[in-house]
Amino acid sequence: MAPLLELRGVTKTFGSVTALRDVDLEIGAAEAVGLIGDNGAGKSTLVKILSGVYAPTAGALHLDGSPVSFGSPADARRAGVEMIYQDLALCDDLDVAANIFLGRELRRRLGPIRILDRERMAAEAARMISELGLSLVPGRLVGTMSGGERQMVAVARALQFQPRLLLMDEPTAALSAEKIRVLLGLVEELKRRGVSILLISHRFTDILHVCDRIVVVRQGTVVGSLQPHAQPAEQTMARMTELMTGDRVSAA
């Protein structure tokens, strides 16, 4: 069976700077793949290509075994690829329900005009929040919420588009230990629902906890792929560090 999404020989240049070079990557159905690398390794450029922000300079993308080209984030979204950025891109002056439906608001007809159906959006948001096991109040303003609560709103909004592949950029960076546990549990639940995940994180423990495979990027090139459950965590962490830095590291 073909991977859900496949990159072959993807290269991205910005003038004389090569951000990615001949990148091959596969993401299977209902698979969680961790993407790690030092700052400037090319991780953000890679996910921006997957989410339609950038077009590759060279190489090809395949979805379900067929060539695909994303000219914009809207193209990627229509193909089932959704991105949660590190800054979350939420509207602080809107409530949870309005943020979840941002860009695809529900409307109802009032005579000759169509107005926002706030009651239906609140009800649908409450249903989704309950299904995900989250403790969010649909009518609460996002601007009054903690970083962890805002992260959950961003996840709920992404899921409203029913993605097949969810790209997450440092989702646990500003979360408490409890909120990290909730988010990682949510990733596991999404996998059970058949959603694939690409997770960028500097927290090795998060990657080891939920990812089926770990891909390491250094200086714009994929330098290795690891199976985190094939050996003790200490050995996997040492190997990840070696691949990221190019230096030999002892697991002890």
Side-chain angles (χ1 to χ4, degrees), residues 68-127:
V68 66
S69 176
F70 301 148
S72 68
D75 287 346
R77 178 171 286 167
R78 281 190 288 269
V81 181
E82 184 70 27
M83 176 76 190
I84 300 178
Y85 293 98
Q86 192 169 357
D87 64 4
L88 304 181
L90 299 175
C91 293
D92 288 350
D93 57 346
L94 297 179
D95 63 23
V96 170
N99 269 280
I100 288 176
F101 282 92
L102 194 63
R104 53 174 302 177
E105 290 82 0
L106 302 179
R107 299 178 184 275
R108 61 184 176 89
R109 187 168 294 281
L110 183 64
I113 63 174
R114 288 170 58 83
I115 63 173
L116 291 177
D117 193 339
R118 299 185 186 278
E119 291 185 3
R120 185 178 165 202
M121 285 192 290
E124 288 292 315
R127 179 187 59 80

Tab-separated table of all heavy atoms in Angstrom, residues 68-127:
chain	number	residue	atom	x	y	z
A	68	VAL	N	0.930	15.297	-6.594
A	68	VAL	CA	0.099	16.375	-6.097
A	68	VAL	C	0.945	17.632	-5.991
A	68	VAL	O	2.158	17.571	-5.763
A	68	VAL	CB	-0.519	16.010	-4.733
A	68	VAL	CG1	0.563	15.870	-3.658
A	68	VAL	CG2	-1.557	17.024	-4.298
A	69	SER	N	0.292	18.785	-6.183
A	69	SER	CA	0.972	20.066	-6.064
A	69	SER	C	0.098	21.005	-5.258
A	69	SER	O	-1.091	21.181	-5.572
A	69	SER	CB	1.248	20.656	-7.455
A	69	SER	OG	1.829	21.935	-7.362
A	70	PHE	N	0.661	21.593	-4.203
A	70	PHE	CA	-0.074	22.527	-3.367
A	70	PHE	C	0.382	23.947	-3.699
A	70	PHE	O	1.512	24.339	-3.402
A	70	PHE	CB	0.177	22.252	-1.884
A	70	PHE	CG	-0.218	20.867	-1.432
A	70	PHE	CD1	0.475	20.232	-0.415
A	70	PHE	CD2	-1.283	20.218	-2.017
A	70	PHE	CE1	0.113	18.962	0.006
A	70	PHE	CE2	-1.661	18.939	-1.611
A	70	PHE	CZ	-0.954	18.312	-0.593
A	71	GLY	N	-0.512	24.738	-4.283
A	71	GLY	CA	-0.166	26.105	-4.609
A	71	GLY	C	-0.443	27.080	-3.489
A	71	GLY	O	-0.042	28.244	-3.549
A	72	SER	N	-1.124	26.599	-2.446
A	72	SER	CA	-1.492	27.458	-1.322
A	72	SER	C	-1.903	26.572	-0.155
A	72	SER	O	-2.180	25.372	-0.331
A	72	SER	CB	-2.658	28.376	-1.694
A	72	SER	OG	-3.844	27.603	-1.872
A	73	PRO	N	-1.986	27.134	1.067
A	73	PRO	CA	-2.507	26.355	2.189
A	73	PRO	C	-3.923	25.846	1.947
A	73	PRO	O	-4.291	24.774	2.441
A	73	PRO	CB	-2.457	27.342	3.354
A	73	PRO	CG	-1.320	28.265	3.005
A	73	PRO	CD	-1.410	28.432	1.509
A	74	ALA	N	-4.710	26.598	1.181
A	74	ALA	CA	-6.071	26.146	0.866
A	74	ALA	C	-6.036	24.868	0.035
A	74	ALA	O	-6.864	23.968	0.234
A	74	ALA	CB	-6.834	27.243	0.127
A	75	ASP	N	-5.084	24.771	-0.891
A	75	ASP	CA	-4.932	23.543	-1.676
A	75	ASP	C	-4.595	22.359	-0.775
A	75	ASP	O	-5.146	21.263	-0.921
A	75	ASP	CB	-3.823	23.707	-2.721
A	75	ASP	CG	-4.221	24.596	-3.878
A	75	ASP	OD1	-5.429	24.887	-4.025
A	75	ASP	OD2	-3.323	25.017	-4.642
A	76	ALA	N	-3.648	22.576	0.150
A	76	ALA	CA	-3.258	21.504	1.063
A	76	ALA	C	-4.433	21.095	1.944
A	76	ALA	O	-4.662	19.905	2.182
A	76	ALA	CB	-2.083	21.962	1.924
A	77	ARG	N	-5.191	22.074	2.413
A	77	ARG	CA	-6.349	21.774	3.265
A	77	ARG	C	-7.377	20.963	2.513
A	77	ARG	O	-7.951	20.007	3.060
A	77	ARG	CB	-6.946	23.080	3.776
A	77	ARG	CG	-8.179	22.920	4.641
A	77	ARG	CD	-8.569	24.241	5.270
A	77	ARG	NE	-7.637	24.586	6.348
A	77	ARG	CZ	-7.574	25.790	6.908
A	77	ARG	NH1	-8.343	26.773	6.468
A	77	ARG	NH2	-6.731	26.010	7.893
A	78	ARG	N	-7.631	21.307	1.260
A	78	ARG	CA	-8.594	20.546	0.464
A	78	ARG	C	-8.130	19.106	0.255
A	78	ARG	O	-8.952	18.195	0.089
A	78	ARG	CB	-8.826	21.231	-0.882
A	78	ARG	CG	-9.768	22.429	-0.809
A	78	ARG	CD	-10.155	22.928	-2.184
A	78	ARG	NE	-9.047	23.595	-2.852
A	78	ARG	CZ	-8.796	24.900	-2.775
A	78	ARG	NH1	-9.598	25.673	-2.043
A	78	ARG	NH2	-7.780	25.442	-3.414
A	79	ALA	N	-6.816	18.897	0.257
A	79	ALA	CA	-6.267	17.549	0.108
A	79	ALA	C	-6.219	16.790	1.432
A	79	ALA	O	-5.858	15.615	1.457
A	79	ALA	CB	-4.866	17.621	-0.496
A	80	GLY	N	-6.570	17.470	2.532
A	80	GLY	CA	-6.606	16.814	3.832
A	80	GLY	C	-5.378	17.044	4.684
A	80	GLY	O	-5.162	16.322	5.665
A	81	VAL	N	-4.566	18.055	4.356
A	81	VAL	CA	-3.365	18.372	5.134
A	81	VAL	C	-3.614	19.657	5.909
A	81	VAL	O	-3.898	20.701	5.315
A	81	VAL	CB	-2.130	18.536	4.226
A	81	VAL	CG1	-0.892	18.851	5.069
A	81	VAL	CG2	-1.898	17.280	3.395
A	82	GLU	N	-3.510	19.588	7.211
A	82	GLU	CA	-3.778	20.740	8.074
A	82	GLU	C	-2.555	21.025	8.939
A	82	GLU	O	-1.892	20.105	9.422
A	82	GLU	CB	-4.992	20.462	8.963
A	82	GLU	CG	-5.422	21.630	9.822
A	82	GLU	CD	-6.034	22.771	9.027
A	82	GLU	OE1	-6.583	22.517	7.944
A	82	GLU	OE2	-5.952	23.919	9.501
A	83	MET	N	-2.263	22.311	9.148
A	83	MET	CA	-1.075	22.734	9.879
A	83	MET	C	-1.468	23.505	11.138
A	83	MET	O	-2.338	24.385	11.097
A	83	MET	CB	-0.205	23.627	8.989
A	83	MET	CG	1.019	24.206	9.664
A	83	MET	SD	2.310	22.983	9.853
A	83	MET	CE	3.449	23.854	10.935
A	84	ILE	N	-0.832	23.164	12.262
A	84	ILE	CA	-0.953	23.964	13.482
A	84	ILE	C	0.395	24.626	13.715
A	84	ILE	O	1.384	23.960	14.040
A	84	ILE	CB	-1.326	23.109	14.701
A	84	ILE	CG1	-2.661	22.407	14.462
A	84	ILE	CG2	-1.412	23.980	15.957
A	84	ILE	CD1	-3.071	21.494	15.599
A	85	TYR	N	0.454	25.944	13.532
A	85	TYR	CA	1.711	26.667	13.659
A	85	TYR	C	2.046	26.916	15.117
A	85	TYR	O	1.178	26.898	15.992
A	85	TYR	CB	1.640	27.992	12.897
A	85	TYR	CG	1.548	27.815	11.399
A	85	TYR	CD1	0.328	27.869	10.740
A	85	TYR	CD2	2.696	27.563	10.652
A	85	TYR	CE1	0.239	27.699	9.370
A	85	TYR	CE2	2.617	27.393	9.275
A	85	TYR	CZ	1.389	27.458	8.646
A	85	TYR	OH	1.308	27.267	7.296
A	86	GLN	N	3.306	27.192	15.360
A	86	GLN	CA	3.775	27.396	16.731
A	86	GLN	C	3.088	28.595	17.374
A	86	GLN	O	2.823	28.596	18.577
A	86	GLN	CB	5.294	27.566	16.745
A	86	GLN	CG	5.908	27.495	18.134
A	86	GLN	CD	7.424	27.409	18.084
A	86	GLN	OE1	8.020	27.350	17.013
A	86	GLN	NE2	8.053	27.410	19.237
A	87	ASP	N	2.772	29.636	16.585
A	87	ASP	CA	2.108	30.815	17.154
A	87	ASP	C	0.590	30.647	17.242
A	87	ASP	O	-0.115	31.551	17.691
A	87	ASP	CB	2.467	32.067	16.358
A	87	ASP	CG	1.968	32.021	14.915
A	87	ASP	OD1	1.268	31.048	14.544
A	87	ASP	OD2	2.279	32.956	14.148
A	88	LEU	N	0.075	29.486	16.775
A	88	LEU	CA	-1.322	29.069	16.884
A	88	LEU	C	-2.284	29.849	15.991
A	88	LEU	O	-3.302	29.320	15.570
A	88	LEU	CB	-1.813	29.130	18.337
A	88	LEU	CG	-0.999	28.315	19.338
A	88	LEU	CD1	-1.615	28.438	20.728
A	88	LEU	CD2	-0.897	26.866	18.930
A	89	ALA	N	-2.007	31.131	15.714
A	89	ALA	CA	-2.835	31.953	14.813
A	89	ALA	C	-4.301	31.990	15.246
A	89	ALA	O	-5.207	31.794	14.443
A	89	ALA	CB	-2.711	31.439	13.375
A	90	LEU	N	-4.521	32.241	16.523
A	90	LEU	CA	-5.876	32.370	17.047
A	90	LEU	C	-6.264	33.840	17.175
A	90	LEU	O	-5.403	34.718	17.247
A	90	LEU	CB	-5.969	31.704	18.430
A	90	LEU	CG	-5.667	30.208	18.487
A	90	LEU	CD1	-5.679	29.736	19.938
A	90	LEU	CD2	-6.653	29.409	17.663
A	91	CYS	N	-7.568	34.100	17.225
A	91	CYS	CA	-8.079	35.461	17.402
A	91	CYS	C	-8.479	35.654	18.866
A	91	CYS	O	-9.457	35.064	19.331
A	91	CYS	CB	-9.282	35.700	16.495
A	91	CYS	SG	-8.878	35.696	14.743
A	92	ASP	N	-7.717	36.473	19.586
A	92	ASP	CA	-7.935	36.647	21.021
A	92	ASP	C	-9.292	37.251	21.358
A	92	ASP	O	-9.835	37.007	22.443
A	92	ASP	CB	-6.831	37.529	21.615
A	92	ASP	CG	-5.496	36.809	21.691
A	92	ASP	OD1	-5.464	35.583	21.461
A	92	ASP	OD2	-4.479	37.469	21.981
A	93	ASP	N	-9.851	38.054	20.449
A	93	ASP	CA	-11.107	38.733	20.758
A	93	ASP	C	-12.334	37.919	20.355
A	93	ASP	O	-13.464	38.413	20.454
A	93	ASP	CB	-11.149	40.103	20.092
A	93	ASP	CG	-10.965	40.038	18.579
A	93	ASP	OD1	-10.533	38.974	18.082
A	93	ASP	OD2	-11.236	41.041	17.904
A	94	LEU	N	-12.121	36.669	19.932
A	94	LEU	CA	-13.227	35.766	19.630
A	94	LEU	C	-13.261	34.638	20.651
A	94	LEU	O	-12.245	34.312	21.262
A	94	LEU	CB	-13.085	35.177	18.218
A	94	LEU	CG	-13.124	36.154	17.045
A	94	LEU	CD1	-12.949	35.393	15.734
A	94	LEU	CD2	-14.426	36.954	17.039
A	95	ASP	N	-14.434	34.031	20.811
A	95	ASP	CA	-14.530	32.933	21.772
A	95	ASP	C	-14.051	31.624	21.152
A	95	ASP	O	-13.657	31.570	19.978
A	95	ASP	CB	-15.950	32.816	22.325
A	95	ASP	CG	-16.993	32.483	21.264
A	95	ASP	OD1	-16.638	31.925	20.208
A	95	ASP	OD2	-18.185	32.781	21.503
A	96	VAL	N	-14.077	30.568	21.956
A	96	VAL	CA	-13.568	29.265	21.515
A	96	VAL	C	-14.313	28.769	20.285
A	96	VAL	O	-13.707	28.335	19.298
A	96	VAL	CB	-13.680	28.241	22.664
A	96	VAL	CG1	-13.394	26.830	22.163
A	96	VAL	CG2	-12.733	28.613	23.795
A	97	ALA	N	-15.641	28.811	20.317
A	97	ALA	CA	-16.434	28.311	19.199
A	97	ALA	C	-16.129	29.071	17.912
A	97	ALA	O	-15.986	28.474	16.841
A	97	ALA	CB	-17.917	28.402	19.532
A	98	ALA	N	-16.027	30.401	18.001
A	98	ALA	CA	-15.745	31.204	16.810
A	98	ALA	C	-14.367	30.891	16.254
A	98	ALA	O	-14.167	30.869	15.032
A	98	ALA	CB	-15.859	32.694	17.145
A	99	ASN	N	-13.396	30.628	17.114
A	99	ASN	CA	-12.059	30.267	16.645
A	99	ASN	C	-12.052	28.885	15.998
A	99	ASN	O	-11.365	28.669	14.996
A	99	ASN	CB	-11.061	30.300	17.805
A	99	ASN	CG	-10.400	31.657	17.960
A	99	ASN	OD1	-9.463	31.998	17.253
A	99	ASN	ND2	-10.920	32.449	18.890
A	100	ILE	N	-12.796	27.953	16.552
A	100	ILE	CA	-12.848	26.611	15.968
A	100	ILE	C	-13.422	26.653	14.557
A	100	ILE	O	-12.959	25.935	13.657
A	100	ILE	CB	-13.670	25.669	16.870
A	100	ILE	CG1	-12.882	25.346	18.150
A	100	ILE	CG2	-14.044	24.385	16.141
A	100	ILE	CD1	-13.645	24.506	19.150
A	101	PHE	N	-14.402	27.518	14.336
A	101	PHE	CA	-15.050	27.606	13.017
A	101	PHE	C	-14.490	28.739	12.160
A	101	PHE	O	-15.073	29.063	11.123
A	101	PHE	CB	-16.559	27.781	13.189
A	101	PHE	CG	-17.272	26.505	13.538
A	101	PHE	CD1	-17.483	26.162	14.860
A	101	PHE	CD2	-17.698	25.628	12.557
A	101	PHE	CE1	-18.120	24.980	15.209
A	101	PHE	CE2	-18.334	24.445	12.876
A	101	PHE	CZ	-18.545	24.119	14.206
A	102	LEU	N	-13.371	29.330	12.592
A	102	LEU	CA	-12.798	30.446	11.855
A	102	LEU	C	-12.450	30.010	10.423
A	102	LEU	O	-11.710	29.060	10.207
A	102	LEU	CB	-11.534	30.934	12.562
A	102	LEU	CG	-10.978	32.287	12.142
A	102	LEU	CD1	-11.980	33.397	12.446
A	102	LEU	CD2	-9.665	32.569	12.858
A	103	GLY	N	-12.998	30.715	9.449
A	103	GLY	CA	-12.753	30.382	8.045
A	103	GLY	C	-13.793	29.474	7.436
A	103	GLY	O	-13.826	29.312	6.213
A	104	ARG	N	-14.636	28.873	8.257
A	104	ARG	CA	-15.732	28.050	7.733
A	104	ARG	C	-16.948	28.182	8.658
A	104	ARG	O	-17.544	27.203	9.103
A	104	ARG	CB	-15.301	26.596	7.587
A	104	ARG	CG	-14.709	25.975	8.821
A	104	ARG	CD	-14.447	24.501	8.627
A	104	ARG	NE	-15.647	23.776	8.280
A	104	ARG	CZ	-15.667	22.472	7.995
A	104	ARG	NH1	-14.561	21.778	7.989
A	104	ARG	NH2	-16.795	21.864	7.695
A	105	GLU	N	-17.300	29.438	8.914
A	105	GLU	CA	-18.394	29.748	9.838
A	105	GLU	C	-19.723	29.169	9.354
A	105	GLU	O	-19.993	29.125	8.139
A	105	GLU	CB	-18.533	31.267	9.993
A	105	GLU	CG	-17.395	31.931	10.750
A	105	GLU	CD	-16.165	32.223	9.904
A	105	GLU	OE1	-16.210	31.894	8.689
A	105	GLU	OE2	-15.183	32.738	10.447
A	106	LEU	N	-20.529	28.715	10.297
A	106	LEU	CA	-21.875	28.230	9.995
A	106	LEU	C	-22.829	29.423	9.954
A	106	LEU	O	-22.749	30.321	10.785
A	106	LEU	CB	-22.326	27.226	11.056
A	106	LEU	CG	-21.439	25.992	11.231
A	106	LEU	CD1	-21.994	25.099	12.327
A	106	LEU	CD2	-21.299	25.223	9.927
A	107	ARG	N	-23.737	29.405	9.008
A	107	ARG	CA	-24.673	30.516	8.845
A	107	ARG	C	-26.100	29.995	8.723
A	107	ARG	O	-26.333	28.836	8.372
A	107	ARG	CB	-24.310	31.361	7.611
A	107	ARG	CG	-22.920	31.995	7.712
A	107	ARG	CD	-22.556	32.794	6.468
A	107	ARG	NE	-21.198	33.307	6.548
A	107	ARG	CZ	-20.856	34.441	7.149
A	107	ARG	NH1	-21.801	35.194	7.713
A	107	ARG	NH2	-19.591	34.830	7.182
A	108	ARG	N	-27.038	30.871	9.017
A	108	ARG	CA	-28.449	30.550	8.834
A	108	ARG	C	-29.130	31.722	8.133
A	108	ARG	O	-28.647	32.860	8.187
A	108	ARG	CB	-29.122	30.255	10.170
A	108	ARG	CG	-29.112	31.407	11.162
A	108	ARG	CD	-29.714	30.968	12.485
A	108	ARG	NE	-29.643	32.023	13.497
A	108	ARG	CZ	-30.585	32.949	13.669
A	108	ARG	NH1	-31.659	32.962	12.880
A	108	ARG	NH2	-30.456	33.867	14.612
A	109	ARG	N	-30.230	31.402	7.477
A	109	ARG	CA	-30.926	32.431	6.700
A	109	ARG	C	-31.920	33.179	7.592
A	109	ARG	O	-32.664	32.579	8.365
A	109	ARG	CB	-31.647	31.802	5.509
A	109	ARG	CG	-32.262	32.826	4.555
A	109	ARG	CD	-32.703	32.160	3.274
A	109	ARG	NE	-31.557	31.646	2.528
A	109	ARG	CZ	-30.761	32.395	1.771
A	109	ARG	NH1	-30.966	33.706	1.677
A	109	ARG	NH2	-29.774	31.838	1.104
A	110	LEU	N	-31.877	34.484	7.497
A	110	LEU	CA	-32.829	35.349	8.180
A	110	LEU	C	-33.456	36.246	7.121
A	110	LEU	O	-32.900	37.287	6.752
A	110	LEU	CB	-32.140	36.180	9.268
A	110	LEU	CG	-33.063	37.094	10.103
A	110	LEU	CD1	-34.062	36.248	10.892
A	110	LEU	CD2	-32.238	37.959	11.047
A	111	GLY	N	-34.628	35.810	6.618
A	111	GLY	CA	-35.226	36.530	5.498
A	111	GLY	C	-34.322	36.435	4.275
A	111	GLY	O	-33.854	35.353	3.906
A	112	PRO	N	-34.000	37.579	3.672
A	112	PRO	CA	-33.183	37.544	2.451
A	112	PRO	C	-31.670	37.486	2.722
A	112	PRO	O	-30.878	37.419	1.787
A	112	PRO	CB	-33.539	38.874	1.775
A	112	PRO	CG	-33.862	39.794	2.921
A	112	PRO	CD	-34.517	38.928	3.965
A	113	ILE	N	-31.255	37.510	3.983
A	113	ILE	CA	-29.819	37.538	4.284
A	113	ILE	C	-29.417	36.303	5.089
A	113	ILE	O	-30.259	35.602	5.658
A	113	ILE	CB	-29.429	38.809	5.064
A	113	ILE	CG1	-30.144	38.844	6.425
A	113	ILE	CG2	-29.738	40.063	4.248
A	113	ILE	CD1	-29.715	39.993	7.312
A	114	ARG	N	-28.095	36.051	5.109
A	114	ARG	CA	-27.542	34.946	5.890
A	114	ARG	C	-26.683	35.524	7.006
A	114	ARG	O	-25.840	36.389	6.768
A	114	ARG	CB	-26.708	34.024	5.001
A	114	ARG	CG	-27.548	33.192	4.044
A	114	ARG	CD	-26.692	32.473	3.015
A	114	ARG	NE	-25.718	31.595	3.638
A	114	ARG	CZ	-25.982	30.350	4.051
A	114	ARG	NH1	-27.212	29.858	3.917
A	114	ARG	NH2	-25.054	29.600	4.578
A	115	ILE	N	-26.930	35.070	8.222
A	115	ILE	CA	-26.184	35.565	9.377
A	115	ILE	C	-25.461	34.403	10.064
A	115	ILE	O	-25.777	33.227	9.819
A	115	ILE	CB	-27.114	36.277	10.384
A	115	ILE	CG1	-28.141	35.286	10.948
A	115	ILE	CG2	-27.791	37.470	9.744
A	115	ILE	CD1	-28.999	35.855	12.064
A	116	LEU	N	-24.493	34.736	10.904
A	116	LEU	CA	-23.764	33.714	11.633
A	116	LEU	C	-24.704	32.934	12.550
A	116	LEU	O	-25.518	33.527	13.267
A	116	LEU	CB	-22.649	34.345	12.475
A	116	LEU	CG	-21.471	34.954	11.722
A	116	LEU	CD1	-20.498	35.589	12.710
A	116	LEU	CD2	-20.753	33.901	10.891
A	117	ASP	N	-24.588	31.609	12.509
A	117	ASP	CA	-25.392	30.763	13.386
A	117	ASP	C	-24.557	30.443	14.627
A	117	ASP	O	-23.963	29.369	14.750
A	117	ASP	CB	-25.782	29.473	12.648
A	117	ASP	CG	-26.873	28.705	13.377
A	117	ASP	OD1	-27.039	28.939	14.588
A	117	ASP	OD2	-27.540	27.859	12.742
A	118	ARG	N	-24.513	31.395	15.550
A	118	ARG	CA	-23.658	31.272	16.726
A	118	ARG	C	-24.100	30.119	17.630
A	118	ARG	O	-23.262	29.436	18.222
A	118	ARG	CB	-23.633	32.594	17.496
A	118	ARG	CG	-23.089	33.760	16.680
A	118	ARG	CD	-22.963	35.022	17.505
A	118	ARG	NE	-22.582	36.158	16.680
A	118	ARG	CZ	-21.339	36.435	16.312
A	118	ARG	NH1	-20.351	35.643	16.704
A	118	ARG	NH2	-21.078	37.494	15.566
A	119	GLU	N	-25.390	29.905	17.753
A	119	GLU	CA	-25.868	28.820	18.607
A	119	GLU	C	-25.434	27.462	18.067
A	119	GLU	O	-24.997	26.586	18.830
A	119	GLU	CB	-27.393	28.877	18.716
A	119	GLU	CG	-27.915	30.064	19.510
A	119	GLU	CD	-29.421	29.995	19.697
A	119	GLU	OE1	-30.030	28.977	19.255
A	119	GLU	OE2	-29.988	30.939	20.271
A	120	ARG	N	-25.544	27.274	16.781
A	120	ARG	CA	-25.142	25.995	16.185
A	120	ARG	C	-23.637	25.792	16.298
A	120	ARG	O	-23.172	24.684	16.580
A	120	ARG	CB	-25.581	25.941	14.722
A	120	ARG	CG	-25.321	24.601	14.054
A	120	ARG	CD	-25.822	24.611	12.637
A	120	ARG	NE	-25.284	23.500	11.873
A	120	ARG	CZ	-25.194	23.482	10.553
A	120	ARG	NH1	-25.611	24.533	9.843
A	120	ARG	NH2	-24.694	22.443	9.927
A	121	MET	N	-22.858	26.865	16.083
A	121	MET	CA	-21.406	26.740	16.207
A	121	MET	C	-21.016	26.395	17.635
A	121	MET	O	-20.126	25.570	17.872
A	121	MET	CB	-20.716	28.032	15.748
A	121	MET	CG	-20.708	28.211	14.241
A	121	MET	SD	-19.611	29.529	13.657
A	121	MET	CE	-20.496	30.972	14.238
A	122	ALA	N	-21.702	27.007	18.619
A	122	ALA	CA	-21.406	26.705	20.015
A	122	ALA	C	-21.745	25.254	20.335
A	122	ALA	O	-20.985	24.560	21.033
A	122	ALA	CB	-22.177	27.653	20.927
A	123	ALA	N	-22.873	24.773	19.805
A	123	ALA	CA	-23.283	23.391	20.061
A	123	ALA	C	-22.318	22.405	19.405
A	123	ALA	O	-21.936	21.396	20.018
A	123	ALA	CB	-24.705	23.169	19.547
A	124	GLU	N	-21.924	22.686	18.162
A	124	GLU	CA	-20.992	21.802	17.462
A	124	GLU	C	-19.620	21.818	18.133
A	124	GLU	O	-18.953	20.780	18.243
A	124	GLU	CB	-20.867	22.230	15.995
A	124	GLU	CG	-22.077	21.917	15.148
A	124	GLU	CD	-22.258	20.419	14.968
A	124	GLU	OE1	-21.274	19.712	14.690
A	124	GLU	OE2	-23.401	19.947	15.152
A	125	ALA	N	-19.196	22.998	18.571
A	125	ALA	CA	-17.911	23.094	19.261
A	125	ALA	C	-17.945	22.300	20.564
A	125	ALA	O	-16.991	21.588	20.901
A	125	ALA	CB	-17.565	24.557	19.537
A	126	ALA	N	-19.042	22.397	21.295
A	126	ALA	CA	-19.177	21.654	22.554
A	126	ALA	C	-19.141	20.152	22.310
A	126	ALA	O	-18.532	19.396	23.080
A	126	ALA	CB	-20.481	22.046	23.250
A	127	ARG	N	-19.787	19.703	21.227
A	127	ARG	CA	-19.777	18.276	20.896
A	127	ARG	C	-18.356	17.797	20.588
A	127	ARG	O	-17.928	16.750	21.092
A	127	ARG	CB	-20.695	18.017	19.694
A	127	ARG	CG	-20.723	16.554	19.250
A	127	ARG	CD	-21.501	16.390	17.965
A	127	ARG	NE	-20.933	17.190	16.892
A	127	ARG	CZ	-19.856	16.826	16.187
A	127	ARG	NH1	-19.224	15.703	16.476
A	127	ARG	NH2	-19.402	17.598	15.218
